[in-house]
Amino acid sequence: MNVDALFNNLVSGPTQTTLTGGLNEQPTEAANGLSSFSGMLENAMSSLNEQQVTADQGVQDLITGNTDNLHNVMIQTSEAQLSLELALQLRNKGLEAYNEIKNMQF
């Protein structure tokens, strides 16, 4: 899985989203698959949590001997780590943008 696929999975969750319409038009729930920014954020955090839980379960299964496939466990943990790093960078950029807007003088 490449970085673009991880980003798309983190941002859009299980469904791809598309925005349609002009600046004054509100996208419909059917058009973008989400009802709001908070819905998109909720899906992204849910996807991130699922990846973390899957990776943790894979490590536990490897330790207890329920699975012998170290390769898949390493892939799961790497995907979970990359998703977490992406989420942290998005958070950092969001806070940076907020602080820049907050410090603007009109």
Side-chain angles (χ1 to χ4, degrees):
M1 187 176 268
N2 62 22
V3 175
D4 291 331
L6 285 173
F7 177 75
N8 288 336
N9 189 24
L10 180 64
V11 171
S12 64
T15 59
Q16 291 291 326
T17 60
T18 58
L19 295 177
T20 59
L23 293 176
N24 294 330
E25 296 177 12
Q26 294 293 327
T28 62
E29 188 172 336
N32 67 4
L34 302 169
S35 61
S36 65
F37 178 75
S38 63
M40 183 182 70
L41 190 60
E42 184 178 331
N43 284 344
M45 290 296 110
S46 174
S47 175
L48 176 64
N49 186 45
E50 288 174 15
Q51 286 182 332
Q52 296 291 325
V53 168
T54 302
D56 288 342
Q57 185 63 41
V59 170
Q60 288 178 0
D61 288 345
L62 188 65
I63 291 171
T64 59
N66 293 337
T67 186
D68 294 335
N69 198 344
L70 177 63
H71 181 72
N72 283 341
V73 173
M74 292 301 294
I75 289 173
Q76 289 173 343
T77 56
S78 295
E79 285 178 353
Q81 179 184 6
L82 286 172
S83 295
L84 181 61
E85 288 176 10
L86 177 62
L88 289 174
Q89 289 300 319
L90 290 172
R91 182 210 58 178
N92 292 342
K93 289 292 184 182
L95 286 173
E96 188 178 311
Y98 171 77
N99 285 329
E100 283 184 27
I101 292 170
K102 185 177 73 171
N103 292 330
M104 284 183 181
Q105 294 181 1
F106 292 100

